[in-house]
Amino acid sequence: SNKRKTLPSDGEATDLHEDEFTVRIQPPGAESFDLQVSRQMSVSELHHVLMDHELTCHRSCFSLQLGGAILDSATELGSIQGIQEGALIRVVEDLYLVRDVRVHLRHVRNLLRSLDPAGRSLSYLSLFTRAHQGNVTPCPPFYILPGCKERRLTPLQPIRDDWKPLQCLRVLNISSWNPPPGNRKLHGDLMYISILTMEERELSITCCTRGFYLNQSNAFNFNPKPAAPKILCHSLVDLLSQLSPSFRKNFAALQKRRVYQHPYECIRAPVQVCTWAAPPGDHSLDCVTSEETDGQVTNRLGLMVTLTFVQIRDWNEELQRSRELPRASLLERRHRDRSIFINSDFVAAAAQGAVSMTEGNVMPLNPGEPPHLHVFVWNNLFFSQGFDMSDHYAPVGGDAAAHAAAMCDLRGVQAYASVDTEGLHTLGTAVVDYRGVRVTAQTVVPGLLEKNLEQIVYGSNDNGKTVFTHPRFLELLGESSKSLRIQPHQVLDHSDSPVELRSAVSTVGIFGSDGRPYILDLLRTFPPDLNFLVSAEAQQEVPAACRSFGFPQRHRHGLASLRPQLVEAFVQHRYELFAKMASDDLGHQFATEKPEEPQRAAEQNRRNIFWKACENVDSMSDSHFDIRFNPDVCFPGVRFPSECLPDVQRQRCLLWEAAAFLLSNQIPALRDCLDHKAVPMDGATLTSVIHQRGVNVRYLGAVLKELDEMEEREKLSHVQRISISEVITRSVKHIFRTYMKDVEPAAFSAAVSHFLNCLLSSSSAPVPDSCSDELPSRRRSRRRRTQSDRANFPTSSFIEEEIEKQNLQKISLLREMSIKTGIQLQLREYMFECRHKPAFSEDDVVNIFPVVKHLKPTSTDAAGLVQQAQLAAQRGFLRAGLDLLGQALTLFSSVCGILHEDVSKCLRLLGQLRYTLGENDDALILQEKAALISERIQGTDHPQTVQDYTHLALYFFAGGRLLTSLQLLYRARYLTLLIIGEDHPQIALLDTMLGLVLHALMENELSLKFLQNALTLTSKYHGAKSLKHAHSHHVLAIVYESKGELQLALHHEKEAHILYKNQLGESSDSTKESSEYLQRLTDQDAILQRAVRHIAQFGAKPVLFFWQLPNHPVILQQLNLTCGITFIPPSEKELRAELNERRKVQIEDVEYQLLNQNGNKQQL
C-alpha cells in the first residue's frame, strides 16, 4: 500500500520522456509511412491505431511482424527486442474466422457512419477555430448582447457542414443464405452478405478465410461460384471500391472529411455523454447499421443467446487479476493501472444491462417475487434494484434507505479501491438511474450464487443479529482501517460473545470459489452524521453549534454519513490542536526543567505531556496522535460489550464534535467564494465546491442560512441562487422518481411532458394534447388519468413565485432537471411564459437515457507528479513544472487514454505554463486539446467547457487571430447565459474580455455595451472599492479615449486612480501608471478645449486630432490582467541552469566542428 503511493524516481521519470520514437509501417500493396509510437504502447494498441489510420483503416484482420517474427498483442513495444527508431513493422494479412468477419463488418459499418454525430459525444470547437476569417462578423447575435432576457436553446448545437451524411451504400446486410452449407464450409466459406450499391446494383458477397469475393447468388437462387469480375480482396472496402464507382468516390470523400477533423473528435469517448437536448430528425431506414445489435439477444427464459463472434467477458476475473499484478516499479504500476482501467467497458455494459433489465428484456432470477424485488444476472453482471428487499433496511428507512444505500456502497468501494490494500478485493460497481428506477450493477463473486459455497465469514447481513469474524479479514482490514480512520472495535454476536471488527458491522466478508477474500456492502464505510440521526438519548449530547442551526433533524433514511473530506479536515484540525498543546507544554517543561533532574523523570514528563495532549483531542493512542471513528456507535441493533461502553460514549462525543466542526468551520469556509477562488456556475460545480469542503448536499439549507447572515451576502448572491436552484431540482427529482414508478411504458412521453409542464409551464392547464396516432379509447383513458393526476401535483403558480422571487431562469432549471433525470428533449425554443398553451408536448420528449455513476480509477503516480508540478510553479520553477507535467501527461494518457479529465487538466496546466513563459503557439495547441476533451467527456455546455473556451480565446488573441478569439468568447457567453444567466461573476470576466477584443477590432460602440455591463457586475461581485473594479474603470477609459470622448475617459480613469491609490498606495506600479495615463488624458483634453475655443472665437479651420489607435500589446496586457495571469520571471536557479545548458550545447558544437575539421585533414 505504501509502495503504491511512492512517487517515481528521477530515473523512472526520465524514462517517461524518452519513450517516444518513430517506426515505419509497411502495409501490403502500398507505400510505407512513418508513425510515432511510445514504448509503453502495446501491440494491440498499435493494431487499433492502424485500424483508424487513413492508409490502413479499411483493414481489421492482420498481424504485425518485425524482422519476420509475429508480435504478441499483449507485449509492450518497449520490451520487444530489436525495435528502435526507424524500425520497419510489416502489416501481414491473416486468415479470417467467423468472428473476424463479424468484426470486419462492424468496423466497415463504423467507417461508413464515422461522420454521424448520433450516438457519440459531441464537440463544436472546430466550428469556431477553423472558420474562415473573412466569413466571420464581429457583431454578435442579439440573444448574446447585454440586457437581453431571451434565452435561445437552438444555438446550443449549431449546424456543422462536415457532419452532413455521405452515403456510400444503400444496403449492407447479412444474407438470408446464411449459414453456409457443409460442403461450402469445406471450401472456406464463412458467411454471405448482401449489398445494394448506390447504382442500384445488387451484390452477393462471399466471406471466406482468405477475404471477400463476388458470387453468383441472388435473392432466389443460391450459386456460390465466383462471378465476374473474379476478384478476391482481403478487405471488403477494396472489393467494393472496384465494383462500385460511387462507393469509391464517396468513401474517398468521407476519408478526407475524417482526416480534416481533429483527432480528438474522432476518438470514441470512454463514457458517452448524452446531450439533454437533441435536434429534431426523421427516423430514416438505415440498412447499413441495422445489424449492429446482432451480438446478443436474450430469450424470454432469461438466457443470453450469444452469437459466435461475441465472447462473454468475465468482468470480475479481469478486475481482480489486474489488481494482483506487481506494483514495485513505476513501469509495473503503470501496467497495473492500465489493466485496471477496464472501467469504461464495464460502465457501458452496466448501463446496457440496466436498460435491458428495466425494459423487461431480461428474466429475473426470482420470477416469483414482486417486480420491485427482482434480481438479475446479465453478461456476467449482477443487477439489483434500489428497493428494500426482505425489510433489510427497515430499521434505517426502508425503500428510502435502500435507494441511498447504492450510492453509499459505491463511495465505500471507491474508498477501499483508493487505499488499494494488497490482497483485499472489492467488486466492480456502477449505479444506474433509469426511468425512475435505481439499479446497482456489480461483478459476480465466483461461487456466490451457488448454494454449496460458505457464505459470510466476516461481518453481518442481518443488522448485527449474527456477527462473524475471521483472522484473514482482520489482518487485511487492519491495514485499510488506518487510512480510512476506522477504529477497531468489538460488538456482541447472537450468543452475547464479543467479536472483533475492523470495519462497520454491515461490511460483509466472504471467500469466493477462487480463494480470494472479498468485502461487500460497504455502505457504512464513513462515520455517521449525527446531525441527521434523531434519537431520544442523543438530545442531551447535542453541541450548541448544532443547536444553533436547528440540528439534529430527521432525515428520510438513517444512512447519512460524513464525507471523507470532512473526516480529513477534522483530523487535520485536531492534529493542529494536538501539536500546539504538546509544543506549548514541552516548551514550558524545557524552560522549567532543572539540570539536576534525572533523565528518566524528564522522559516521563514528556510522555505525560503527550498522553495529556492525546486525551484532549480524543486520540485512540496514548502515545501518539491517531484519531479514528467507530462507524457502529449509532447503528440500530448493534450491541457492545459492557467494558466498551465508556469508549462508545467517547466516540459518540467525537462524532458530535465532528458534526459541529462541519457547521462551525467548514460551512463558513465557503466564504472563499468571495475571493472567487471557486466560482460555481451550476448544480454540479456547486456540489463539487461544497464536497471539497466535506459538506454534503443535504446541508444546503444550512449553507443558505449562513449566506443570509453574511454582511457581504450580495457578493455571493450567485451562490445563493444556484443553491436554491439545486434544492428545487433535487427535490423535484425525488418526486419524479416516485411519479414514474407506476407509469406504463406507453405513457412515458405523456407523463414526462405533463410533469415538466407542472414544473415550468405558465399555462393554467398544463395538459398536453394527446397524440393523433393513438386509438380513441386509449386517448380517453389517458385524458381521464391525466386529469385525475393533476390534482396530485403542485400547480406552477408556486414554482412561478419562487422563480420570480429568487430570479431564477426556467431554461436553467430545465437543463438541471434533464441532466439529473436523464430526460432528453427536442432542441427547440420553449415558450414557458405562454398562458394559453403548455410549453411541452409528448413529441418534445425525445428519449430517456440512463444516468450512470461509477468508480473513477486513475494513476496515483501521475496525480503525485501534478501536485509536485503545481508546487514547483508556485515557487517560480516553471521549467521544472513543465517537465513534471509532461511526465504526468504521459502517465495519464497511457493509463486512462486521451479522453479523460486528468489528461484535460494536465493539458490545461501545461498550456498556462507555456503561455506564461511566452510560448503562445504551444499553449494554444495544448489548450485546444483540453477544450476538445472537456466538450466530449463533460458536455458541450459544461462550466469547464466555458472556462476552456475562455482561456483558448485569450491564446488566440495573443496569436493575432482576433476574430476567432471573439467567436470563442461569444460562444462562452452564450453557454454561461444558458447555464446560469447574466447575473454572475463569469459574465463580468467575459464582458471585459469581449470589450477589449472588440476595441482591438475598432468596434467601440459594441465594446462599450459589454464593458458597461462588466463594470456593473464587477462592482456587485468584487466590490466598488476592489482592484477589479478599478481595472474595469481603466479599461473603459481606454475605449472612451479611442472613441474621442475624453471627458468620460477622464471620469473613469480618475475613479481607477483613486481606487489604486487607496488600495495599493502611491508607490505601486499600478498607481503610477494610472497617474501617468490620467495626466496624458488631462493634457489631451486641455489641448482639445483650447482648440475648440480657438475655432469658436476666430473661425479657423478645424484642427485634426489623431486619437490613439488600439495597441495589440497593450490590449493583451489588459486581457492578461483580466484573466489573472501574471508573467513570472524565471528564478535565478533556472536562469543559471539554462545558461549552463546553452554553454554545454555551444561546447558540443565546437567539439563537433573540430572533429569534422580533423577528419577532413586526415582525408587530405
Side-chain angles (χ1 to χ4, degrees):
S1 176
N2 293 332
K3 292 180 180 179
R4 183 75 180 87
K5 298 181 180 179
T6 303
L7 292 174
S9 64
D10 293 339
E12 292 175 326
T14 303
D15 293 338
L16 293 176
H17 275 306
E18 298 175 352
D19 62 355
E20 292 187 351
F21 60 101
T22 301
V23 296
R24 194 151 192 85
I25 304 296
Q26 177 63 66
E31 295 183 0
S32 60
F33 60 90
D34 291 333
L35 184 69
Q36 189 174 24
V37 296
S38 61
R39 296 191 180 277
Q40 75 269 12
M41 177 185 289
S42 65
V43 175
S44 62
E45 289 175 332
L46 177 58
H47 192 285
H48 286 292
V49 169
L50 293 176
M51 287 176 62
D52 198 52
H53 194 274
E54 178 187 6
L55 300 178
T56 54
C57 65
H58 58 285
R59 302 183 180 275
S60 64
C61 184
F62 59 87
S63 59
L64 300 176
Q65 292 186 3
L66 177 67
I70 298 178
L71 303 181
D72 183 15
S73 60
T75 306
E76 290 188 354
L77 296 182
S79 62
I80 298 175
Q81 186 176 4
I83 198 165
Q84 57 186 352
E85 181 76 22
L88 181 65
I89 297 179
R90 297 185 180 275
V91 177
V92 181
E93 297 172 347
D94 287 343
L95 294 177
Y96 281 97
L97 301 174
V98 176
R99 180 182 181 277
D100 299 323
V101 172
R102 294 275 187 178
V103 170
H104 186 77
L105 291 179
R106 174 173 291 187
H107 180 60
V108 171
R109 291 191 186 106
N110 290 337
L111 287 176
L112 296 181
R113 61 175 184 174
S114 58
L115 300 180
D116 185 7
R120 64 171 178 168
S121 302
L122 304 179
S123 173
Y124 295 98
L125 181 64
S126 60
L127 191 65
F128 306 102
T129 58
R130 297 186 179 183
H132 192 272
Q133 296 294 297
N135 300 330
V136 178
T137 174
C139 296
F142 72 92
Y143 51 83
I144 295 181
L145 289 172
C148 180
K149 300 296 183 182
E150 185 175 350
R151 299 290 177 258
R152 304 292 295 269
L153 184 57
T154 49
L156 178 62
Q157 296 183 19
I159 299 174
R160 286 186 56 166
D161 293 335
D162 56 345
W163 284 354
K164 290 182 179 179
L166 191 62
Q167 192 171 6
C168 299
L169 294 173
R170 294 196 184 278
V171 177
L172 172 58
N173 278 336
I174 305 298
S175 174
S176 300
W177 294 114
N178 285 298
N183 64 323
R184 292 309 306 172
K185 289 183 179 179
L186 298 178
H187 286 79
D189 291 4
L190 301 175
M191 189 186 300
Y192 306 115
I193 57 177
S194 299
I195 292 176
L196 180 63
T197 67
M198 300 301 295
E199 297 90 353
E200 302 295 337
R201 180 186 176 188
E202 295 184 6
L203 304 177
S204 181
I205 307 293
T206 297
C207 314
C208 67
T209 56
R210 294 184 300 158
F212 302 83
Y213 65 87
L214 181 66
N215 62 43
Q216 299 181 25
S217 300
N218 55 39
F220 304 101
N221 298 313
F222 177 68
N223 187 352
K225 294 182 179 180
K230 295 183 178 181
I231 304 172
L232 175 65
C233 296
H234 192 266
S235 167
L236 179 61
V237 172
D238 289 340
L239 178 64
L240 292 175
S241 297
Q242 298 188 51
L243 297 177
S244 171
S246 296
F247 178 88
R248 181 170 63 250
K249 176 184 176 182
N250 293 344
F251 188 79
L254 184 145
Q255 287 294 89
K256 288 182 180 179
R257 288 193 188 179
R258 287 182 69 243
V259 174
Y260 179 75
Q261 288 185 338
H262 195 283
Y264 286 13
E265 292 182 296
C266 305
I267 300 174
R268 179 177 174 83
V271 178
Q272 297 300 311
V273 178
C274 299
T275 177
W276 63 275
D282 297 330
H283 185 60
S284 58
L285 181 65
D286 188 357
C287 294
V288 174
T289 61
S290 61
E291 299 291 335
E292 185 68 25
T293 57
D294 276 353
Q296 296 172 355
V297 292
T298 307
N299 63 14
R300 291 301 299 172
L301 297 177
L303 302 175
M304 185 161 41
V305 180
T306 306
L307 300 183
T308 55
F309 77 104
V310 176
Q311 181 179 357
I312 298 298
R313 296 174 65 173
D314 190 341
W315 299 103
N316 186 74
E317 183 62 25
E318 285 187 48
L319 178 63
Q320 309 309 337
R321 187 177 295 174
S322 299
R323 288 176 175 167
E324 291 171 344
L325 292 173
R327 59 180 89 177
S329 67
L330 173 63
L331 294 179
E332 288 178 347
R333 292 196 297 272
R334 180 174 61 185
H335 177 64
R336 179 176 181 269
D337 290 341
R338 185 166 53 184
S339 301
I340 292 175
F341 203 80
I342 61 169
N343 193 56
S344 59
D345 295 339
F346 168 75
V347 170
Q352 183 183 1
V355 170
S356 300
M357 187 208 77
T358 307
E359 293 178 348
N361 298 327
V362 183
M363 195 69 177
L365 295 179
N366 52 345
E369 299 286 342
H372 68 282
L373 301 181
H374 286 167
V375 294
F376 307 81
V377 172
W378 183 90
N379 195 8
N380 276 341
L381 294 176
F382 180 79
F383 295 88
S384 59
Q385 303 179 76
F387 299 105
D388 189 11
M389 301 178 63
S390 306
D391 294 331
H392 179 72
Y393 294 100
V396 288
D399 282 346
H403 182 84
M407 280 305 301
C408 294
D409 184 54
L410 181 66
R411 286 193 289 266
V413 174
Q414 181 72 66
Y416 277 96
S418 300
V419 174
D420 201 11
T421 302
E422 189 170 357
L424 186 64
H425 298 270
T426 56
L427 302 182
T429 307
V431 178
V432 184
D433 290 314
Y434 182 63
R435 292 184 178 178
V437 179
R438 172 159 287 183
V439 179
T440 302
Q442 292 179 308
T443 56
V444 181
V445 178
L448 182 61
L449 302 178
E450 302 172 6
K451 294 183 179 179
N452 58 350
L453 177 68
E454 182 183 359
Q455 296 290 315
I456 298 175
V457 298
Y458 177 87
S460 171
N461 68 341
D462 55 4
N463 295 321
K465 295 178 182 177
T466 55
V467 188
F468 304 92
T469 190
H470 193 281
R472 176 63 175 151
F473 281 96
L474 290 178
E475 177 188 357
L476 293 172
L477 291 171
E479 299 178 19
S480 58
S481 64
K482 297 177 183 178
S483 300
L484 297 176
R485 309 288 181 184
I486 297 176
Q487 182 193 42
H489 57 283
Q490 291 185 341
V491 299
L492 296 177
D493 63 2
H494 56 284
S495 60
D496 292 337
S497 300
V499 175
E500 183 180 0
L501 296 175
R502 295 183 180 178
S503 66
V505 69
S506 59
T507 298
V508 172
I510 63 173
F511 286 101
S513 58
D514 55 0
R516 297 186 179 107
Y518 294 88
I519 51 172
L520 290 72
D521 297 340
L522 306 177
L523 60 153
R524 295 181 54 249
T525 299
F526 301 109
D529 186 355
L530 299 191
N531 282 330
F532 289 91
L533 294 177
V534 180
S535 59
E537 64 273 11
Q539 298 298 326
Q540 308 298 326
E541 310 166 354
V542 181
C546 298
R547 293 182 183 275
S548 64
F549 278 89
F551 290 104
Q553 297 178 5
R554 185 171 299 280
H555 201 46
R556 66 179 190 275
H557 61 78
L559 297 179
S561 60
L562 301 175
R563 295 194 63 82
Q565 298 92 333
L566 187 279
V567 173
E568 291 304 317
F570 178 73
V571 170
Q572 179 64 28
H573 174 70
R574 283 300 174 98
Y575 178 75
E576 292 172 0
L577 294 178
F578 168 82
K580 186 177 185 306
M581 285 187 288
S583 62
D584 290 346
D585 290 346
L586 285 173
H588 179 71
Q589 178 188 348
F590 289 143
T592 58
E593 192 175 30
K594 298 179 181 179
E596 63 273 10
E597 189 174 354
Q599 182 68 24
R600 181 175 298 179
E603 188 66 30
Q604 181 62 38
N605 289 335
R606 281 192 286 272
R607 281 198 294 268
N608 291 338
I609 288 173
F610 279 105
W611 175 82
K612 181 181 177 182
C614 289
E615 185 181 25
N616 288 336
V617 297
D618 296 314
S619 173
M620 190 180 76
S621 171
D622 293 338
S623 58
H624 63 278
F625 180 83
D626 186 12
I627 286 186
R628 303 196 201 180
F629 298 90
N630 185 341
D632 293 328
V633 292
C634 297
F635 191 67
V638 177
R639 299 173 299 131
F640 297 95
S642 56
E643 62 272 15
C644 298
L645 292 180
D647 182 66
V648 170
Q649 185 60 32
R650 283 196 299 271
Q651 278 290 317
R652 289 179 65 92
C653 295
L654 184 64
L655 287 172
W656 273 119
E657 290 170 2
F661 173 80
L662 186 152
L663 295 170
S664 59
N665 287 61
Q666 298 305 97
I667 289 182
L670 294 173
R671 295 171 181 265
D672 59 4
C673 292
L674 283 171
D675 302 328
H676 299 277
K677 296 177 182 176
V679 185
M681 292 177 61
D682 64 351
T685 47
L686 174 69
T687 302
S688 176
V689 168
I690 65 175
H691 280 177
Q692 289 173 6
R693 290 288 181 181
V695 180
N696 303 78
V697 178
R698 60 178 172 269
Y699 282 97
L700 276 179
V703 171
L704 287 169
K705 180 181 178 182
E706 180 71 18
L707 291 175
D708 284 337
E709 296 175 354
M710 289 178 56
E711 295 181 0
E712 298 178 306
R713 58 180 176 271
E714 186 67 18
K715 294 183 180 180
L716 293 177
S717 60
H718 62 294
V719 178
Q720 185 180 34
R721 278 184 287 108
I722 298 172
S723 301
I724 294 173
S725 172
E726 189 70 0
V727 169
I728 292 175
T729 52
R730 283 180 176 264
S731 302
V732 169
K733 182 183 71 171
H734 293 305
I735 300 173
F736 179 79
R737 187 180 72 246
T738 306
Y739 169 71
M740 291 294 291
K741 283 181 183 178
D742 300 324
V743 175
E744 58 185 82
F748 277 144
S749 59
V752 173
S753 60
H754 176 60
F755 188 92
L756 292 177
N757 280 322
C758 291
L759 177 65
L760 297 172
S761 179
S762 298
S763 175
S764 57
V767 182
D769 297 331
S770 297
C771 290
S772 59
D773 59 349
E774 291 186 357
L775 298 175
S777 61
R778 177 72 186 134
R779 292 201 300 267
R780 285 196 297 270
S781 63
R782 178 179 295 185
R783 188 179 299 113
R784 287 195 299 269
R785 186 186 64 252
T786 304
Q787 289 174 352
S788 63
D789 287 348
R790 206 170 68 197
N792 298 327
F793 285 89
T795 59
S796 59
S797 58
F798 172 75
I799 302 294
E800 287 276 351
E801 292 174 2
E802 287 299 312
I803 290 175
E804 186 175 354
K805 177 182 176 182
Q806 306 298 339
N807 194 23
L808 304 179
Q809 285 190 154
K810 288 188 176 181
I811 190 69
S812 302
L813 290 173
L814 177 64
R815 173 184 175 272
E816 292 280 358
M817 180 64 187
S818 300
I819 292 174
K820 284 180 171 60
T821 57
I823 298 173
Q824 189 176 57
L825 298 171
Q826 188 174 159
L827 186 70
R828 71 172 183 86
E829 308 305 334
Y830 292 97
M831 308 301 292
F832 298 108
E833 308 303 328
C834 181
R835 298 279 179 180
H836 309 292
K837 183 181 178 181
F840 303 93
S841 66
E842 296 182 25
D843 292 336
D844 291 326
V845 184
V846 177
N847 200 358
I848 298 180
F849 55 84
V851 180
V852 187
K853 303 176 181 66
H854 54 87
L855 303 177
K856 296 183 178 180
T858 186
S859 171
T860 309
D861 292 311
L865 288 171
V866 171
Q867 292 179 355
Q868 283 188 338
Q870 291 175 319
L871 184 60
Q874 290 172 3
R875 294 176 176 176
F877 298 99
L878 302 186
R879 292 293 176 186
L882 280 176
D883 185 61
L884 291 168
L885 282 174
Q887 298 169 26
L889 179 61
T890 302
L891 274 177
F892 276 135
S893 302
S894 173
V895 171
C896 310
I898 294 297
L899 298 185
H900 194 269
E901 292 181 25
D902 292 327
V903 175
S904 177
K905 179 181 178 180
C906 274
L907 289 168
R908 193 177 302 117
L909 293 173
L910 277 169
Q912 291 174 5
L913 286 182
R914 291 287 185 189
Y915 181 75
T916 305
L917 290 168
E919 302 170 6
N920 183 68
D921 292 340
D922 293 337
L924 194 150
I925 294 172
L926 293 165
Q927 183 60 32
E928 185 176 12
K929 292 179 180 179
L932 276 169
I933 295 175
S934 294
E935 273 193 314
R936 299 210 56 208
I937 66 173
Q938 294 182 301
T940 56
D941 59 344
H942 192 275
Q944 185 58 62
T945 302
V946 175
Q947 299 287 345
D948 287 335
Y949 268 65
T950 305
H951 283 94
L952 187 59
L954 173 65
Y955 301 161
F956 268 113
F957 185 91
R961 295 179 58 180
L962 276 62
L963 287 174
T964 302
S965 173
L966 184 66
Q967 294 303 311
L968 290 171
L969 289 173
Y970 282 156
R971 177 68 173 176
R973 192 177 203 275
Y974 164 74
L975 294 176
T976 307
L977 291 174
L978 188 69
I979 294 171
I980 188 58
E982 195 169 43
D983 191 9
H984 192 271
Q986 181 68 20
I987 292 292
L989 172 69
L990 290 170
D991 284 359
T992 304
M993 296 182 69
L994 278 166
L996 286 166
V997 176
L998 287 167
H999 169 57
L1001 293 168
M1002 297 296 292
E1003 296 286 342
N1004 289 329
E1005 288 293 342
L1006 200 54
S1007 171
L1008 288 172
K1009 290 183 180 180
F1010 288 101
L1011 290 177
Q1012 290 287 0
N1013 190 60
L1015 181 70
T1016 304
L1017 292 175
T1018 304
S1019 175
K1020 177 179 180 180
Y1021 288 108
H1022 294 272
K1025 298 181 179 180
S1026 65
L1027 295 176
K1028 284 282 186 181
H1029 195 54
H1031 182 253
S1032 294
H1033 277 296
H1034 178 66
V1035 172
L1036 272 168
I1038 293 174
V1039 178
Y1040 273 122
E1041 181 203 7
S1042 179
K1043 195 166 178 284
E1045 300 181 16
L1046 294 181
Q1047 289 293 328
L1048 289 173
L1050 273 169
H1051 166 72
H1052 285 288
E1053 191 56 36
K1054 287 178 181 177
E1055 294 290 336
H1057 180 71
I1058 293 171
L1059 292 173
Y1060 283 133
K1061 182 179 177 181
N1062 293 338
Q1063 295 292 329
L1064 302 175
E1066 292 277 4
S1067 59
S1068 72
D1069 293 338
S1070 299
T1071 308
K1072 291 178 181 178
E1073 291 174 4
S1074 177
S1075 179
E1076 294 173 1
Y1077 183 52
L1078 186 61
Q1079 184 61 45
R1080 184 159 60 85
L1081 287 176
T1082 304
D1083 295 341
Q1084 287 183 1
D1085 185 59
I1087 295 172
L1088 178 62
Q1089 294 301 326
R1090 285 198 300 269
V1092 170
R1093 288 196 299 268
H1094 184 77
I1095 293 171
Q1097 183 176 359
F1098 301 103
K1101 293 182 180 181
V1103 180
L1104 294 179
F1105 287 90
F1106 295 96
W1107 310 114
Q1108 185 173 356
L1109 295 176
N1111 188 317
H1112 184 272
V1114 172
I1115 296 176
L1116 181 59
Q1117 181 186 6
Q1118 299 302 320
L1119 282 170
N1120 290 329
L1121 290 174
T1122 302
C1123 296
I1125 296 177
T1126 305
F1127 289 92
I1128 305 173
S1131 64
E1132 182 180 351
K1133 183 178 179 180
E1134 285 194 324
L1135 287 173
R1136 191 180 298 112
E1138 186 173 353
L1139 182 60
N1140 292 334
E1141 185 68 25
R1142 289 181 181 178
R1143 289 175 178 171
K1144 182 179 178 182
V1145 171
Q1146 291 174 358
I1147 292 172
E1148 290 176 352
D1149 290 342
V1150 171
E1151 291 176 350
Y1152 179 75
Q1153 293 174 4
L1154 291 175
L1155 287 173
N1156 286 341
Q1157 291 175 4
N1158 293 333
N1160 294 333
K1161 290 179 180 178
Q1162 290 175 3
Q1163 291 177 1
L1164 293 174

